[in-house]
Amino acid sequence: MPCVIVDCAIYRNGRRTEGPADFSDALDEARAAGDSFLWVGLHEPTEEEFDLVTSEFNLHPLAVEDALKAHQRPKLEVYNGSLFVVLKPVTYDDDADTVATGELMLFVGDSFVVTVRHGEGSPLAQVRQRLEHEPEVLRHGPASVLYAVCDAVVDHYTEVAAELQLDLEELEAEVFAPLGGDNRTIASRIYSFKRQVLEFRRASAPLAEPVTRLAGVGVPFVPERSQPFFRDVGDHLTRANESVEGLDRLLSDILSAHLAQMGVQQNDDMRKISAWAAMAAVPTMIAGVYGMNFTHMWELRQPWGYPAAVLVMAGLVFWLYRLFKRRGWL
């Protein structure tokens, strides 16, 4: 079990204190004190490793199953004796231009918080350090941890959205550059970018409903005095979701514009090909006429016949070239 325990401590009146190593004793001590709660942090536990936590904190089997299997949508579930919240932190690798999501589960109950982390990008370490320097926040009990974690995850959504916006502006400038870019790579880059935004939306958009519920009434283990803080988280989440939706719309518009550019370019190429084919057809037609074995072609016996034919072909080709050039085909 110690291999998966990231941290475990009792917080009494907003201050960290080291309690008994046994979960049951530590929880009993926290409940007996009245102004304390136990916070246990776990990282990717197995079913066997999580059994002790399940039994000591009386967690619901369905919530435990979700916490162990991961791959859940952000949600809020109310069970008898605990509150189960799923969050999906998002990280953005600027070098690889990829969005990665982790998973963070919180069990909130009477005088305890259990956090289970899957993947990378979790803000739990920073949240715990920050809260330990803000005892006035920790005095609000387990709900303060839930608020702080939600706030950290949503704030990072805003940061990632800002980074995506900068990368999108660079891509947009490349698409609409006068000389254009490599059409073979731009379309794939736009599609890849759209997949990253979709991954982001899968993490942020479903969280709106749980945050709205936490900001309302009737959610156990979330006192009324905590509701304004969750409303603030909801406001930040709304801005982040609006940013993501704007990115998705802009990407669709950029892709449409890029495809239109490719269509125009293909039309230009076809006009150039047609113009050159027309210029090649004129001398070919004249040469073909003189390649026929007719007997009565009086100009064949004239000394100026060959130069005249060449001049006619060259003149017609030059005239066609000027005509196509004037009309923008060449």
Side-chain angles (χ1 to χ4, degrees), residues 56-217:
E56 295 293 349
F57 293 95
N58 193 27
L59 304 180
H60 196 279
L62 292 178
V64 171
E65 181 181 358
D66 289 343
L68 292 174
K69 291 185 176 180
H71 304 294
Q72 304 294 318
R73 287 167 54 90
K75 63 179 180 179
L76 167 64
E77 299 287 350
V78 179
Y79 295 102
N80 185 23
S82 65
L83 192 67
F84 180 60
V85 180
V86 178
L87 304 172
K88 295 184 75 70
V90 172
T91 57
Y92 183 64
D93 187 346
D94 190 54
D95 295 330
D97 293 336
T98 56
V99 171
T101 58
E103 290 197 43
L104 185 57
M105 290 81 168
L106 295 94
F107 295 89
V108 180
D110 180 16
S111 301
F112 73 85
V113 177
V114 177
T115 55
V116 181
R117 175 168 63 90
H118 292 269
E120 301 302 325
S122 170
L124 280 178
Q126 296 86 345
V127 169
R128 190 185 285 263
Q129 292 173 5
R130 179 169 61 84
L131 285 177
E132 289 179 354
H133 289 85
E134 298 177 355
E136 67 281 359
V137 177
L138 277 175
R139 288 191 185 100
H140 289 82
S144 64
V145 177
L146 178 58
Y147 156 71
V149 173
C150 291
D151 185 58
V153 170
V154 171
D155 283 348
H156 200 56
Y157 285 169
T158 305
E159 296 173 6
V160 173
E163 293 177 0
L164 288 172
Q165 180 66 43
L166 292 176
D167 288 346
L168 179 61
E169 291 174 359
E170 295 177 2
L171 180 60
E172 186 178 18
E174 183 177 348
V175 170
F176 294 105
L179 298 178
D182 188 352
N183 290 331
R184 293 170 297 181
T185 62
I186 287 180
S188 63
R189 286 179 57 194
I190 295 174
Y191 180 74
S192 176
F193 205 127
K194 200 170 180 65
R195 287 297 300 264
Q196 304 309 316
V197 172
L198 178 61
E199 185 72 14
F200 192 171
R201 291 186 66 179
R202 287 174 178 170
S204 64
L207 186 58
E209 190 269 340
V211 171
T212 301
R213 290 179 60 190
L214 290 170
V217 297

